Amino acid sequence: MEHIHGYDEWKTKEPEGDMQPVEHCDICGQPLYCGDALIDAFGVKWCDDCLRGMRRIL
């Protein structure tokens, strides 16, 4: 397979412009951007880190 110059460049370069958060976690306040996971449980927004931190094994 031949290498095509610049083919994977779009995957590794920083996005253009300023990225603004779309939401914030209601538990820790972490900004969440387009593509981040968000759980909305009864109107409370949880980021993945907070959800993992509250998980228990019974």
Side-chain angles (χ1 to χ4, degrees), residues 6-32:
Y7 178 75
D8 287 333
E9 185 177 329
W10 65 273
K11 293 180 189 176
T12 58
K13 73 178 183 176
E14 292 292 322
E16 296 176 11
D18 293 332
M19 287 185 55
Q20 298 295 322
V22 179
E23 291 281 352
H24 286 83
C25 175
D26 289 336
I27 307 304
C28 70
Q30 175 179 330
L32 301 168

